[in-house]
Amino acid sequence: MPAVVVIGGQWGDEGKGRIVDLVAQGATVVARYSAGNNAGHTVINDMGEFKLNVVPAGIFYADKICVVGNGVAVDPAILLNEIDTLAGRGVSVANLFVSDRCHVIMPWHPLIDIADEKLRGAAAIGTTGRGVGPCFTDKVARIGIRTGDLIDPEAFRARLSFVLPYKNEVLTKLYGLPALDFDEVYASYSALGRRLAPFVRDTAQIVHDALDRDETVLLEGAQGCLLDLDAGTYEFVTSSVPSSSAGGAGIGIGIGPTVIQQVVGIYKAYVTRVGNGPMPSELLDETGQILRLEGPRPEIGTTTGRPRRTGWFDAVASRYSAMVNGVTSGVLTRLDVLDNFPSIKICTAYETDDGRTLTSMPASSVLLGKVKPVYEEVEGWRAPTARCRSWEELPQKARDYIRRIEALLQTPIDIVSVGPERGQAIVIHDVLKVKRP
Ligand code: GDP
Ligand code: IMO
Ligand code: MG
């Protein structure tokens, strides 16, 4: 069976965790392939409500293999805490494996993340401050420390002996921060390495063994295309290498691009963003506040608790993300949030201040920050959808809205989510089985 990738089609928090939890039933392996604990994936099912930062959202099925792939930046203390919390709540972690090639978020990474943001001043990105960007920066600069090093005392000592003096120069001379003590870092991270060691494996082999058995591998993305280092609203993006886009999935898990045959793009029925950067359809008025607070789970960041910026569905940005990710199946989440709006707007183009109308995504964040959204307005359905479980049960105007988004995305919507709980969804097609060119 081929591998299926799940990606965020907007600025993150589209409900990827919630959808992976829903569809993982049909897979054998569920794997995270990028980012780190800047991600926060909420899952609500019969075991309770969970916020996952690193562990894949397939973990609630005891018979699934869950993999933290080589593309993920791992903060060992955070991951071990997540594992302990899950185990303490009765979730089996017996089939959870972490790649020996993951880069480790070391204590200097969050320090540099926060100090860098201060240095940027008004141009700050609004990072999560978790050290994820600096960890990937070190990966690219070839001064990273990997999980395989961390669990090998000799390799770790050798690597830390080279990297820490280098990093202490950066901490003290560039940022004016105190140096970190070698013995302290070595002792505390060796202890974390010993606890992590039982989970560490050559995970690419585990994934390939499943593919050889003709089993389905579900690849769980983090963030969203518009936060992607290449495709996103640069420089207000995240630094994940490999990218969280579909193209990064193969690299971040250790499979070739030909194995990935389906790409599931998750889209909110409107848009949100946390952190800074352009967002053409952002609503700074009361309507934006209603979008933020309406429904059972208000728009508050899962990882940082920051309020999310809100706006109408941006079809220009969303169509672009469907295009550059090769999305074959669309999923629309949080439709229920729009239940009480008398009318709903969809941004179908951008107008520049020199009078041009753009229908494709410009590269420049400066330009994007200045464009005005061009809206088309549709009538709301003003009826509850949270209990709808079939296409026919949805109000006609809600169906019209979904059809319009499908047309604008040029992608079929295969699942509509009408609430945060596992069962609150309308599955039109099984995204693991539907085959589209
Ligand atoms: P992720 O990062 O893409 O996994 O998304 P997050 O978990 O960060 O944010 C999605 C939020 O929306 C969470 O609070 C979910 O519980 C919630 N959610 C997911 N789907 C729905 C839905 O269809 N309706 C409502 N009201 N909430 C949803
Ligand atoms: P999930 O997987 C939403 C945003 C941050 C900031 C920018 C850079 O839950 O959808 P970073 O700490 O990565 O250097 O911050 O990216 N960001 C996210 N926003 N959801 C996420 O993940 C995000 N991960 C990073 O808010 O704007
Ligand atoms: Mg999230």
PDB file of all heavy atoms in Angstrom, residues 204-240:
ATOM      1  N   ALA A 204      13.260   4.202   9.688  1.00  0.00           N
ATOM      2  CA  ALA A 204      13.009   4.039   8.240  1.00  0.00           C
ATOM      3  C   ALA A 204      12.779   2.564   7.938  1.00  0.00           C
ATOM      4  O   ALA A 204      11.902   2.199   7.144  1.00  0.00           O
ATOM      5  CB  ALA A 204      14.180   4.580   7.444  1.00  0.00           C
ATOM      6  N   GLN A 205      13.540   1.700   8.594  1.00  0.00           N
ATOM      7  CA  GLN A 205      13.385   0.258   8.370  1.00  0.00           C
ATOM      8  C   GLN A 205      12.001  -0.221   8.813  1.00  0.00           C
ATOM      9  O   GLN A 205      11.356  -1.017   8.123  1.00  0.00           O
ATOM     10  CB  GLN A 205      14.491  -0.498   9.131  1.00  0.00           C
ATOM     11  CG  GLN A 205      14.619  -1.953   8.714  1.00  0.00           C
ATOM     12  CD  GLN A 205      14.918  -2.098   7.220  1.00  0.00           C
ATOM     13  OE1 GLN A 205      15.869  -1.524   6.702  1.00  0.00           O
ATOM     14  NE2 GLN A 205      14.070  -2.831   6.490  1.00  0.00           N
ATOM     15  N   ILE A 206      11.552   0.305   9.960  1.00  0.00           N
ATOM     16  CA  ILE A 206      10.218  -0.083  10.471  1.00  0.00           C
ATOM     17  C   ILE A 206       9.147   0.297   9.435  1.00  0.00           C
ATOM     18  O   ILE A 206       8.242  -0.476   9.133  1.00  0.00           O
ATOM     19  CB  ILE A 206       9.935   0.624  11.834  1.00  0.00           C
ATOM     20  CG1 ILE A 206      10.909   0.101  12.888  1.00  0.00           C
ATOM     21  CG2 ILE A 206       8.491   0.445  12.270  1.00  0.00           C
ATOM     22  CD1 ILE A 206      10.845   0.840  14.228  1.00  0.00           C
ATOM     23  N   VAL A 207       9.277   1.494   8.883  1.00  0.00           N
ATOM     24  CA  VAL A 207       8.300   1.969   7.892  1.00  0.00           C
ATOM     25  C   VAL A 207       8.376   1.110   6.628  1.00  0.00           C
ATOM     26  O   VAL A 207       7.349   0.692   6.073  1.00  0.00           O
ATOM     27  CB  VAL A 207       8.548   3.467   7.576  1.00  0.00           C
ATOM     28  CG1 VAL A 207       7.717   3.933   6.396  1.00  0.00           C
ATOM     29  CG2 VAL A 207       8.254   4.322   8.811  1.00  0.00           C
ATOM     30  N   HIS A 208       9.582   0.815   6.179  1.00  0.00           N
ATOM     31  CA  HIS A 208       9.728  -0.006   4.963  1.00  0.00           C
ATOM     32  C   HIS A 208       9.229  -1.423   5.169  1.00  0.00           C
ATOM     33  O   HIS A 208       8.645  -2.019   4.252  1.00  0.00           O
ATOM     34  CB  HIS A 208      11.176   0.028   4.476  1.00  0.00           C
ATOM     35  CG  HIS A 208      11.461   1.279   3.712  1.00  0.00           C
ATOM     36  ND1 HIS A 208      11.185   1.417   2.370  1.00  0.00           N
ATOM     37  CD2 HIS A 208      11.901   2.482   4.133  1.00  0.00           C
ATOM     38  CE1 HIS A 208      11.477   2.653   1.992  1.00  0.00           C
ATOM     39  NE2 HIS A 208      11.919   3.318   3.049  1.00  0.00           N
ATOM     40  N   ASP A 209       9.420  -1.972   6.370  1.00  0.00           N
ATOM     41  CA  ASP A 209       8.893  -3.321   6.638  1.00  0.00           C
ATOM     42  C   ASP A 209       7.378  -3.319   6.496  1.00  0.00           C
ATOM     43  O   ASP A 209       6.793  -4.242   5.936  1.00  0.00           O
ATOM     44  CB  ASP A 209       9.298  -3.781   8.052  1.00  0.00           C
ATOM     45  CG  ASP A 209      10.801  -4.080   8.138  1.00  0.00           C
ATOM     46  OD1 ASP A 209      11.456  -4.184   7.079  1.00  0.00           O
ATOM     47  OD2 ASP A 209      11.317  -4.180   9.280  1.00  0.00           O
ATOM     48  N   ALA A 210       6.729  -2.256   6.998  1.00  0.00           N
ATOM     49  CA  ALA A 210       5.259  -2.163   6.888  1.00  0.00           C
ATOM     50  C   ALA A 210       4.847  -2.032   5.426  1.00  0.00           C
ATOM     51  O   ALA A 210       3.904  -2.686   4.976  1.00  0.00           O
ATOM     52  CB  ALA A 210       4.756  -0.974   7.695  1.00  0.00           C
ATOM     53  N   LEU A 211       5.564  -1.192   4.669  1.00  0.00           N
ATOM     54  CA  LEU A 211       5.234  -1.029   3.246  1.00  0.00           C
ATOM     55  C   LEU A 211       5.425  -2.357   2.500  1.00  0.00           C
ATOM     56  O   LEU A 211       4.616  -2.713   1.645  1.00  0.00           O
ATOM     57  CB  LEU A 211       6.108   0.073   2.626  1.00  0.00           C
ATOM     58  CG  LEU A 211       5.796   1.502   3.088  1.00  0.00           C
ATOM     59  CD1 LEU A 211       6.910   2.462   2.650  1.00  0.00           C
ATOM     60  CD2 LEU A 211       4.444   1.989   2.554  1.00  0.00           C
ATOM     61  N   ASP A 212       6.472  -3.104   2.870  1.00  0.00           N
ATOM     62  CA  ASP A 212       6.709  -4.408   2.226  1.00  0.00           C
ATOM     63  C   ASP A 212       5.581  -5.386   2.536  1.00  0.00           C
ATOM     64  O   ASP A 212       5.285  -6.271   1.736  1.00  0.00           O
ATOM     65  CB  ASP A 212       8.044  -5.010   2.697  1.00  0.00           C
ATOM     66  CG  ASP A 212       9.237  -4.234   2.137  1.00  0.00           C
ATOM     67  OD1 ASP A 212       9.027  -3.435   1.197  1.00  0.00           O
ATOM     68  OD2 ASP A 212      10.357  -4.426   2.653  1.00  0.00           O
ATOM     69  N   ARG A 213       4.955  -5.196   3.701  1.00  0.00           N
ATOM     70  CA  ARG A 213       3.817  -6.074   4.062  1.00  0.00           C
ATOM     71  C   ARG A 213       2.514  -5.553   3.443  1.00  0.00           C
ATOM     72  O   ARG A 213       1.450  -6.029   3.755  1.00  0.00           O
ATOM     73  CB  ARG A 213       3.664  -6.136   5.589  1.00  0.00           C
ATOM     74  CG  ARG A 213       4.784  -6.874   6.316  1.00  0.00           C
ATOM     75  CD  ARG A 213       4.403  -7.157   7.777  1.00  0.00           C
ATOM     76  NE  ARG A 213       4.109  -5.942   8.520  1.00  0.00           N
ATOM     77  CZ  ARG A 213       4.990  -5.251   9.249  1.00  0.00           C
ATOM     78  NH1 ARG A 213       6.256  -5.656   9.311  1.00  0.00           N
ATOM     79  NH2 ARG A 213       4.631  -4.176   9.904  1.00  0.00           N
ATOM     80  N   ASP A 214       2.636  -4.541   2.605  1.00  0.00           N
ATOM     81  CA  ASP A 214       1.473  -3.964   1.910  1.00  0.00           C
ATOM     82  C   ASP A 214       0.537  -3.228   2.862  1.00  0.00           C
ATOM     83  O   ASP A 214      -0.674  -3.185   2.655  1.00  0.00           O
ATOM     84  CB  ASP A 214       0.712  -5.081   1.177  1.00  0.00           C
ATOM     85  CG  ASP A 214       0.132  -4.574  -0.130  1.00  0.00           C
ATOM     86  OD1 ASP A 214       0.608  -3.534  -0.610  1.00  0.00           O
ATOM     87  OD2 ASP A 214      -0.803  -5.203  -0.643  1.00  0.00           O
ATOM     88  N   GLU A 215       1.100  -2.643   3.913  1.00  0.00           N
ATOM     89  CA  GLU A 215       0.286  -1.942   4.897  1.00  0.00           C
ATOM     90  C   GLU A 215       0.345  -0.422   4.667  1.00  0.00           C
ATOM     91  O   GLU A 215       1.283   0.081   4.052  1.00  0.00           O
ATOM     92  CB  GLU A 215       0.776  -2.289   6.312  1.00  0.00           C
ATOM     93  CG  GLU A 215       0.517  -3.752   6.633  1.00  0.00           C
ATOM     94  CD  GLU A 215       1.220  -4.239   7.881  1.00  0.00           C
ATOM     95  OE1 GLU A 215       2.067  -3.505   8.447  1.00  0.00           O
ATOM     96  OE2 GLU A 215       0.936  -5.373   8.293  1.00  0.00           O
ATOM     97  N   THR A 216      -0.668   0.262   5.180  1.00  0.00           N
ATOM     98  CA  THR A 216      -0.761   1.703   4.933  1.00  0.00           C
ATOM     99  C   THR A 216       0.042   2.492   5.972  1.00  0.00           C
ATOM    100  O   THR A 216      -0.051   2.240   7.175  1.00  0.00           O
ATOM    101  CB  THR A 216      -2.232   2.155   4.974  1.00  0.00           C
ATOM    102  OG1 THR A 216      -2.925   1.432   3.965  1.00  0.00           O
ATOM    103  CG2 THR A 216      -2.373   3.653   4.715  1.00  0.00           C
ATOM    104  N   VAL A 217       0.801   3.439   5.478  1.00  0.00           N
ATOM    105  CA  VAL A 217       1.587   4.321   6.349  1.00  0.00           C
ATOM    106  C   VAL A 217       1.005   5.731   6.235  1.00  0.00           C
ATOM    107  O   VAL A 217       0.869   6.266   5.137  1.00  0.00           O
ATOM    108  CB  VAL A 217       3.079   4.313   5.928  1.00  0.00           C
ATOM    109  CG1 VAL A 217       3.871   5.341   6.707  1.00  0.00           C
ATOM    110  CG2 VAL A 217       3.666   2.914   6.113  1.00  0.00           C
ATOM    111  N   LEU A 218       0.643   6.288   7.379  1.00  0.00           N
ATOM    112  CA  LEU A 218       0.048   7.621   7.420  1.00  0.00           C
ATOM    113  C   LEU A 218       1.100   8.592   7.949  1.00  0.00           C
ATOM    114  O   LEU A 218       1.656   8.387   9.039  1.00  0.00           O
ATOM    115  CB  LEU A 218      -1.173   7.573   8.345  1.00  0.00           C
ATOM    116  CG  LEU A 218      -2.060   8.792   8.452  1.00  0.00           C
ATOM    117  CD1 LEU A 218      -2.612   9.209   7.100  1.00  0.00           C
ATOM    118  CD2 LEU A 218      -3.230   8.490   9.410  1.00  0.00           C
ATOM    119  N   LEU A 219       1.385   9.617   7.181  1.00  0.00           N
ATOM    120  CA  LEU A 219       2.445  10.563   7.540  1.00  0.00           C
ATOM    121  C   LEU A 219       1.810  11.859   8.011  1.00  0.00           C
ATOM    122  O   LEU A 219       1.120  12.543   7.245  1.00  0.00           O
ATOM    123  CB  LEU A 219       3.350  10.802   6.334  1.00  0.00           C
ATOM    124  CG  LEU A 219       3.991   9.514   5.777  1.00  0.00           C
ATOM    125  CD1 LEU A 219       4.675   9.771   4.453  1.00  0.00           C
ATOM    126  CD2 LEU A 219       4.983   8.949   6.770  1.00  0.00           C
ATOM    127  N   GLU A 220       2.022  12.184   9.284  1.00  0.00           N
ATOM    128  CA  GLU A 220       1.350  13.328   9.922  1.00  0.00           C
ATOM    129  C   GLU A 220       2.225  14.570   9.847  1.00  0.00           C
ATOM    130  O   GLU A 220       3.292  14.627  10.464  1.00  0.00           O
ATOM    131  CB  GLU A 220       1.045  12.971  11.384  1.00  0.00           C
ATOM    132  CG  GLU A 220       0.416  14.090  12.188  1.00  0.00           C
ATOM    133  CD  GLU A 220       0.132  13.659  13.637  1.00  0.00           C
ATOM    134  OE1 GLU A 220       0.176  12.449  13.940  1.00  0.00           O
ATOM    135  OE2 GLU A 220      -0.116  14.549  14.462  1.00  0.00           O
ATOM    136  N   GLY A 221       1.776  15.550   9.105  1.00  0.00           N
ATOM    137  CA  GLY A 221       2.520  16.801   9.002  1.00  0.00           C
ATOM    138  C   GLY A 221       2.301  17.678  10.225  1.00  0.00           C
ATOM    139  O   GLY A 221       1.399  17.439  11.034  1.00  0.00           O
ATOM    140  N   ALA A 222       3.119  18.684  10.342  1.00  0.00           N
ATOM    141  CA  ALA A 222       2.930  19.695  11.379  1.00  0.00           C
ATOM    142  C   ALA A 222       2.846  21.050  10.673  1.00  0.00           C
ATOM    143  O   ALA A 222       3.136  21.161   9.477  1.00  0.00           O
ATOM    144  CB  ALA A 222       4.088  19.687  12.362  1.00  0.00           C
ATOM    145  N   GLN A 223       2.413  22.060  11.415  1.00  0.00           N
ATOM    146  CA  GLN A 223       2.274  23.415  10.846  1.00  0.00           C
ATOM    147  C   GLN A 223       1.398  23.413   9.596  1.00  0.00           C
ATOM    148  O   GLN A 223       0.551  22.550   9.458  1.00  0.00           O
ATOM    149  CB  GLN A 223       3.657  24.005  10.529  1.00  0.00           C
ATOM    150  CG  GLN A 223       4.403  24.476  11.751  1.00  0.00           C
ATOM    151  CD  GLN A 223       5.499  23.545  12.172  1.00  0.00           C
ATOM    152  OE1 GLN A 223       6.293  23.128  11.368  1.00  0.00           O
ATOM    153  NE2 GLN A 223       5.553  23.245  13.439  1.00  0.00           N
ATOM    154  N   GLY A 224       1.654  24.347   8.717  1.00  0.00           N
ATOM    155  CA  GLY A 224       0.840  24.423   7.507  1.00  0.00           C
ATOM    156  C   GLY A 224       1.679  25.001   6.391  1.00  0.00           C
ATOM    157  O   GLY A 224       2.721  25.633   6.633  1.00  0.00           O
ATOM    158  N   CYS A 225       1.201  24.810   5.181  1.00  0.00           N
ATOM    159  CA  CYS A 225       1.968  25.219   4.001  1.00  0.00           C
ATOM    160  C   CYS A 225       2.368  26.689   4.050  1.00  0.00           C
ATOM    161  O   CYS A 225       3.447  27.062   3.601  1.00  0.00           O
ATOM    162  CB  CYS A 225       1.122  24.945   2.765  1.00  0.00           C
ATOM    163  SG  CYS A 225       1.818  25.617   1.276  1.00  0.00           S
ATOM    164  N   LEU A 226       1.507  27.543   4.625  1.00  0.00           N
ATOM    165  CA  LEU A 226       1.799  28.983   4.597  1.00  0.00           C
ATOM    166  C   LEU A 226       2.838  29.380   5.645  1.00  0.00           C
ATOM    167  O   LEU A 226       3.273  30.527   5.709  1.00  0.00           O
ATOM    168  CB  LEU A 226       0.505  29.787   4.752  1.00  0.00           C
ATOM    169  CG  LEU A 226      -0.580  29.421   3.716  1.00  0.00           C
ATOM    170  CD1 LEU A 226      -1.883  30.139   4.009  1.00  0.00           C
ATOM    171  CD2 LEU A 226      -0.114  29.731   2.298  1.00  0.00           C
ATOM    172  N   LEU A 227       3.239  28.396   6.475  1.00  0.00           N
ATOM    173  CA  LEU A 227       4.347  28.603   7.422  1.00  0.00           C
ATOM    174  C   LEU A 227       5.609  27.899   6.936  1.00  0.00           C
ATOM    175  O   LEU A 227       6.621  27.860   7.629  1.00  0.00           O
ATOM    176  CB  LEU A 227       3.977  28.041   8.806  1.00  0.00           C
ATOM    177  CG  LEU A 227       2.944  28.814   9.627  1.00  0.00           C
ATOM    178  CD1 LEU A 227       2.518  27.996  10.844  1.00  0.00           C
ATOM    179  CD2 LEU A 227       3.502  30.156  10.077  1.00  0.00           C
ATOM    180  N   ASP A 228       5.526  27.316   5.759  1.00  0.00           N
ATOM    181  CA  ASP A 228       6.635  26.537   5.223  1.00  0.00           C
ATOM    182  C   ASP A 228       7.786  27.447   4.779  1.00  0.00           C
ATOM    183  O   ASP A 228       7.558  28.510   4.193  1.00  0.00           O
ATOM    184  CB  ASP A 228       6.115  25.731   4.030  1.00  0.00           C
ATOM    185  CG  ASP A 228       7.182  24.888   3.393  1.00  0.00           C
ATOM    186  OD1 ASP A 228       7.888  25.387   2.477  1.00  0.00           O
ATOM    187  OD2 ASP A 228       7.316  23.739   3.811  1.00  0.00           O
ATOM    188  N   LEU A 229       8.996  26.988   5.034  1.00  0.00           N
ATOM    189  CA  LEU A 229      10.200  27.773   4.746  1.00  0.00           C
ATOM    190  C   LEU A 229      10.279  28.197   3.270  1.00  0.00           C
ATOM    191  O   LEU A 229      10.690  29.318   2.959  1.00  0.00           O
ATOM    192  CB  LEU A 229      11.418  26.917   5.117  1.00  0.00           C
ATOM    193  CG  LEU A 229      12.769  27.544   5.357  1.00  0.00           C
ATOM    194  CD1 LEU A 229      12.709  28.699   6.331  1.00  0.00           C
ATOM    195  CD2 LEU A 229      13.737  26.480   5.883  1.00  0.00           C
ATOM    196  N   ASP A 230       9.869  27.322   2.364  1.00  0.00           N
ATOM    197  CA  ASP A 230       9.912  27.652   0.940  1.00  0.00           C
ATOM    198  C   ASP A 230       8.597  28.236   0.427  1.00  0.00           C
ATOM    199  O   ASP A 230       8.587  29.240  -0.276  1.00  0.00           O
ATOM    200  CB  ASP A 230      10.252  26.396   0.113  1.00  0.00           C
ATOM    201  CG  ASP A 230      11.735  26.125   0.136  1.00  0.00           C
ATOM    202  OD1 ASP A 230      12.215  25.492   1.100  1.00  0.00           O
ATOM    203  OD2 ASP A 230      12.427  26.581  -0.781  1.00  0.00           O
ATOM    204  N   ALA A 231       7.496  27.580   0.772  1.00  0.00           N
ATOM    205  CA  ALA A 231       6.212  27.967   0.176  1.00  0.00           C
ATOM    206  C   ALA A 231       5.504  29.062   0.966  1.00  0.00           C
ATOM    207  O   ALA A 231       4.628  29.731   0.442  1.00  0.00           O
ATOM    208  CB  ALA A 231       5.304  26.739   0.075  1.00  0.00           C
ATOM    209  N   GLY A 232       5.877  29.252   2.217  1.00  0.00           N
ATOM    210  CA  GLY A 232       5.113  30.115   3.111  1.00  0.00           C
ATOM    211  C   GLY A 232       5.409  31.596   2.973  1.00  0.00           C
ATOM    212  O   GLY A 232       6.115  32.036   2.057  1.00  0.00           O
ATOM    213  N   THR A 233       4.834  32.361   3.901  1.00  0.00           N
ATOM    214  CA  THR A 233       4.933  33.814   3.861  1.00  0.00           C
ATOM    215  C   THR A 233       6.261  34.246   4.515  1.00  0.00           C
ATOM    216  O   THR A 233       6.278  34.826   5.596  1.00  0.00           O
ATOM    217  CB  THR A 233       3.732  34.453   4.596  1.00  0.00           C
ATOM    218  OG1 THR A 233       3.605  33.852   5.892  1.00  0.00           O
ATOM    219  CG2 THR A 233       2.449  34.243   3.832  1.00  0.00           C
ATOM    220  N   TYR A 234       7.347  33.922   3.828  1.00  0.00           N
ATOM    221  CA  TYR A 234       8.710  34.197   4.293  1.00  0.00           C
ATOM    222  C   TYR A 234       8.885  35.693   4.595  1.00  0.00           C
ATOM    223  O   TYR A 234       8.402  36.505   3.827  1.00  0.00           O
ATOM    224  CB  TYR A 234       9.700  33.769   3.206  1.00  0.00           C
ATOM    225  CG  TYR A 234      11.121  33.698   3.690  1.00  0.00           C
ATOM    226  CD1 TYR A 234      11.603  32.560   4.314  1.00  0.00           C
ATOM    227  CD2 TYR A 234      11.975  34.789   3.531  1.00  0.00           C
ATOM    228  CE1 TYR A 234      12.910  32.495   4.764  1.00  0.00           C
ATOM    229  CE2 TYR A 234      13.284  34.719   3.990  1.00  0.00           C
ATOM    230  CZ  TYR A 234      13.742  33.574   4.602  1.00  0.00           C
ATOM    231  OH  TYR A 234      15.024  33.512   5.053  1.00  0.00           O
ATOM    232  N   GLU A 235       9.485  36.129   5.717  1.00  0.00           N
ATOM    233  CA  GLU A 235      10.213  35.369   6.660  1.00  0.00           C
ATOM    234  C   GLU A 235       9.424  34.947   7.884  1.00  0.00           C
ATOM    235  O   GLU A 235       9.966  34.371   8.822  1.00  0.00           O
ATOM    236  CB  GLU A 235      11.474  36.140   7.069  1.00  0.00           C
ATOM    237  CG  GLU A 235      11.219  37.335   7.992  1.00  0.00           C
ATOM    238  CD  GLU A 235      10.817  38.660   7.323  1.00  0.00           C
ATOM    239  OE1 GLU A 235      10.402  38.675   6.153  1.00  0.00           O
ATOM    240  OE2 GLU A 235      10.887  39.710   7.980  1.00  0.00           O
ATOM    241  N   PHE A 236       8.127  35.161   7.816  1.00  0.00           N
ATOM    242  CA  PHE A 236       7.262  34.788   8.937  1.00  0.00           C
ATOM    243  C   PHE A 236       6.828  33.335   8.783  1.00  0.00           C
ATOM    244  O   PHE A 236       5.656  33.034   8.551  1.00  0.00           O
ATOM    245  CB  PHE A 236       6.083  35.756   9.020  1.00  0.00           C
ATOM    246  CG  PHE A 236       6.545  37.176   9.199  1.00  0.00           C
ATOM    247  CD1 PHE A 236       6.627  38.037   8.117  1.00  0.00           C
ATOM    248  CD2 PHE A 236       6.954  37.636  10.448  1.00  0.00           C
ATOM    249  CE1 PHE A 236       7.097  39.337   8.275  1.00  0.00           C
ATOM    250  CE2 PHE A 236       7.419  38.933  10.615  1.00  0.00           C
ATOM    251  CZ  PHE A 236       7.499  39.784   9.527  1.00  0.00           C
ATOM    252  N   VAL A 237       7.804  32.466   8.902  1.00  0.00           N
ATOM    253  CA  VAL A 237       7.598  31.034   8.669  1.00  0.00           C
ATOM    254  C   VAL A 237       8.331  30.261   9.759  1.00  0.00           C
ATOM    255  O   VAL A 237       8.992  30.850  10.615  1.00  0.00           O
ATOM    256  CB  VAL A 237       8.137  30.634   7.271  1.00  0.00           C
ATOM    257  CG1 VAL A 237       7.298  31.244   6.166  1.00  0.00           C
ATOM    258  CG2 VAL A 237       9.607  31.032   7.102  1.00  0.00           C
ATOM    259  N   THR A 238       8.231  28.972   9.709  1.00  0.00           N
ATOM    260  CA  THR A 238       8.955  28.126  10.657  1.00  0.00           C
ATOM    261  C   THR A 238      10.150  27.517   9.928  1.00  0.00           C
ATOM    262  O   THR A 238      10.194  27.530   8.697  1.00  0.00           O
ATOM    263  CB  THR A 238       7.998  27.074  11.264  1.00  0.00           C
ATOM    264  OG1 THR A 238       8.676  26.332  12.269  1.00  0.00           O
ATOM    265  CG2 THR A 238       7.443  26.135  10.214  1.00  0.00           C
ATOM    266  N   SER A 239      11.132  27.020  10.687  1.00  0.00           N
ATOM    267  CA  SER A 239      12.409  26.656  10.054  1.00  0.00           C
ATOM    268  C   SER A 239      12.587  25.170   9.804  1.00  0.00           C
ATOM    269  O   SER A 239      13.708  24.717   9.645  1.00  0.00           O
ATOM    270  CB  SER A 239      13.564  27.135  10.935  1.00  0.00           C
ATOM    271  OG  SER A 239      13.522  28.529  11.046  1.00  0.00           O
ATOM    272  N   SER A 240      11.497  24.425   9.800  1.00  0.00           N
ATOM    273  CA  SER A 240      11.628  22.970   9.704  1.00  0.00           C
ATOM    274  C   SER A 240      12.327  22.517   8.419  1.00  0.00           C
ATOM    275  O   SER A 240      11.982  22.924   7.329  1.00  0.00           O
ATOM    276  CB  SER A 240      10.234  22.349   9.764  1.00  0.00           C
ATOM    277  OG  SER A 240      10.326  20.961   9.881  1.00  0.00           O
TER     278      SER A 240
END
